[in-house]
Amino acid sequence: MPAHSHSHGPETGAALPADPAVTARRRRAVRLMLVVLVPIGLATLVGLGLLWPGGEKTAAQQAAESFLPPGTTYPEATIATLETFQCAEATGNAPAQTCGTAVMVIADGESAGDYVQVEVPPEVIAEGVRVGDELVLNRDPGVDTGQATYAFQDFPRSTPIIVLALAFTLVVGAVARLRGLLALLGLGFAFVVLLQFMLPALLEGSSPIWVSLVGSSAIMFVVLYLAHGFSARTTTALLGTLFGLALSALLGSLAVAAAKLTGFASEDTVQLLQFDPTLDFSGLVLAATVVAGLGILNDVTITQSSAVWQLHEAAPTAGWRELFGRGMSIGRDHIASTIYTIVFAYAGAALPLLLLFDLYERPFWTVLTGSVIGEEVVRTLVGGIALVLAVPVTTLIGALVATVSTVTTAAAEPAAERTEEELAAERRHSRSRWSPAPATPW
């Protein structure tokens, strides 16, 4: 965790007042960086206005309506009776499969209280369902026939998800306190941008690269300042994050074209192709690359920015080269651990797919460069390059702004007004913040 900006004196243990010179330097540093950030922020707002989706239904949405009958709902229902029967003989190493027929009571919706008969597939019976359990059904209103039909849809998961979400919020609030809760609020804003802007704009056929860049930029502007406050440290991290996003978009566009990634590596994209074949599926791979790097870029840049500014507070007279060198010492350790995070996060998410490839006994290189794994490999490598390069860029920005603001402050003060006594007091104040507390006698 970054150190606090205050310290305790060795005698009283009371917090020392904030140094006005340090506060002035931070304000000047923020002004310097705003010269760059304000145009980017204005461009983001313009981009949101130009790319914001209209209210008309897209071709994909219209096709999806024909795929699912209008008025389809998903009520929960309770099993009243359940009869099981063998629906498939055992073949080879596969055991016999058991299916079921359940009479269920609808719990909500316009058919609440009605009894309906539903066929229960073998994978649901294998989970040990019994009378009294609840399931989620698919209700087709039967517009053409006038008779509603029901089918098994899924297991209800509202209770465990809500309990886990509440537990997560409580843990974050207890440990990270207000900053953690503000981060959760920022996460909510990110989902609003994703669901209300980015996804509809992509379905409308807008440029995936511009939609992802504008949406990601808007998210980072709000999330970083909301969670970490408006400060030179946060502004430094934001500049580094925006650099990483732009680099991800540039490298991603080159890599997607060079690797000839079509975007049809999963059943989901094939289904999307049936809804709207005019979508830019290669561009969707690129947009996913940019969005996937948001969280980890935020983590790395805010850590590097905090490290540089804390080093600057500990040694206000250090030059930018020294700050950069010490900051990169921290950054290299962070890069090493982040590389493992990226790779193992994907391996965990794609574990069933990796098991299938292992069963197929295909050559390792064929699997690695195939469309399914190859798309993720390219996305991971592009994100990794942007992530690693964001570390020195963020560190350099922080070091330069910190030292330039120090020089600006010193130059703005007449030399005659800074007596030897004031300089000595400032040096003593700086040393006292980092000197160890006196040993306790036993």
Side-chain angles (χ1 to χ4, degrees):
M1 290 181 62
H4 294 290
S5 60
H6 64 268
S7 63
H8 299 285
E11 296 180 1
T12 64
L16 291 174
D19 189 343
V22 173
T23 303
R25 288 197 296 269
R26 285 181 173 177
R27 289 175 179 173
R28 287 182 175 85
V30 171
R31 292 194 195 103
L32 289 172
M33 288 184 285
L34 287 180
V35 172
V36 178
L37 280 181
V38 168
I40 298 177
L42 292 175
T44 300
L45 292 176
V46 172
L48 287 172
L50 294 176
L51 297 173
W52 196 269
E56 300 81 9
K57 290 185 177 180
T58 64
Q61 289 172 325
Q62 294 174 5
E65 287 182 350
S66 62
F67 180 78
L68 288 176
T72 299
T73 56
Y74 304 91
E76 291 189 6
T78 304
I79 299 177
T81 63
L82 177 63
E83 296 181 0
T84 60
F85 56 91
Q86 185 173 315
C87 54
E89 299 289 342
T91 56
N93 295 327
Q97 292 185 336
T98 301
C99 299
T101 300
V103 175
M104 308 191 69
V105 184
I106 305 299
D108 55 72
E110 57 185 283
S111 301
D114 291 354
Y115 286 82
V116 297
Q117 181 172 303
V118 177
E119 299 299 321
V120 184
E123 62 269 18
V124 178
I125 298 295
E127 291 294 325
V129 295
R130 56 185 182 273
V131 173
D133 288 349
E134 292 184 345
L135 300 176
V136 178
L137 304 181
N138 180 311
R139 181 184 184 274
D140 183 346
V143 176
D144 297 331
T145 63
Q147 180 68 35
T149 57
Y150 295 83
F152 169 78
Q153 175 68 26
D154 208 340
F155 290 99
R157 300 183 180 90
S158 300
T159 299
I161 289 178
I162 291 174
V163 170
L164 285 173
L166 290 175
F168 176 66
T169 303
L170 290 174
V171 170
V172 169
V175 177
R177 300 186 180 180
L178 180 60
R179 180 168 295 183
L181 296 177
L182 289 175
L184 293 179
L185 185 61
L187 184 62
F189 172 79
F191 273 105
V192 169
V193 174
L194 182 66
L195 297 177
Q196 298 298 319
F197 168 67
M198 297 180 70
L199 297 184
L202 291 173
L203 288 175
E204 276 194 353
S206 298
S207 169
I209 186 171
W210 287 114
V211 170
S212 59
L213 279 177
V214 170
S216 300
S217 177
I219 290 172
M220 285 296 99
F221 266 96
V222 174
V223 167
L224 277 171
Y225 283 125
L226 183 63
H228 303 284
F230 188 80
S231 65
R233 180 192 66 174
T234 308
T235 306
T236 301
L238 180 56
L239 284 172
T241 303
L242 294 176
F243 166 81
L245 291 175
L247 187 60
S248 294
L250 177 60
L251 292 179
S253 60
L254 297 175
V256 168
K260 294 180 173 58
L261 296 178
T262 61
F264 302 120
S266 68
E267 295 181 1
D268 297 328
T269 51
V270 173
Q271 181 67 56
L272 194 57
L273 175 66
Q274 296 178 359
F275 289 153
D276 188 359
T278 65
L279 294 176
D280 182 3
F281 290 92
S282 294
L284 295 182
V285 176
L286 175 59
T289 301
V290 175
V291 174
L294 281 178
I296 196 67
L297 268 174
N298 176 21
D299 173 45
V300 169
T301 56
I302 198 67
T303 300
Q304 283 305 110
S305 177
S306 296
V308 170
W309 284 94
Q310 291 296 329
L311 288 170
H312 175 61
E313 288 185 4
T317 59
W320 71 267
R321 293 179 185 273
E322 182 179 355
L323 286 179
F324 177 77
R326 291 180 179 272
M328 282 304 299
S329 297
I330 300 172
R332 292 185 187 97
D333 289 335
H334 203 180
I335 288 173
S337 62
T338 302
I339 290 174
Y340 297 125
T341 301
I342 295 174
V343 174
F344 288 126
Y346 170 70
L351 189 59
L353 180 62
L354 297 178
L355 289 174
L356 286 176
F357 281 124
D358 185 65
L359 291 175
Y360 294 155
E361 296 183 351
R362 294 178 181 175
F364 173 77
W365 191 249
T366 301
V367 172
L368 190 66
T369 58
S371 60
V372 178
I373 300 296
E375 182 177 307
E376 296 298 332
V377 169
V378 169
R379 182 181 297 138
T380 301
L381 292 177
V382 168
I385 293 172
L387 173 70
V388 171
L389 291 181
V391 171
V393 169
T394 305
T395 307
L396 181 61
I397 292 172
L400 288 174
V401 171
T403 52
V404 167
S405 62
T406 302
V407 172
T408 303
T409 302
E413 297 178 356
E417 295 181 5
R418 296 175 62 83
T419 64
E420 288 296 329
E421 289 79 6
E422 290 174 337
L423 294 174
E426 183 177 338
R427 288 193 292 269
R428 285 195 303 272
H429 173 65
S430 178
R431 285 196 300 270
S432 67
R433 300 174 59 202
W434 299 95
S435 60
T440 303
W442 294 95

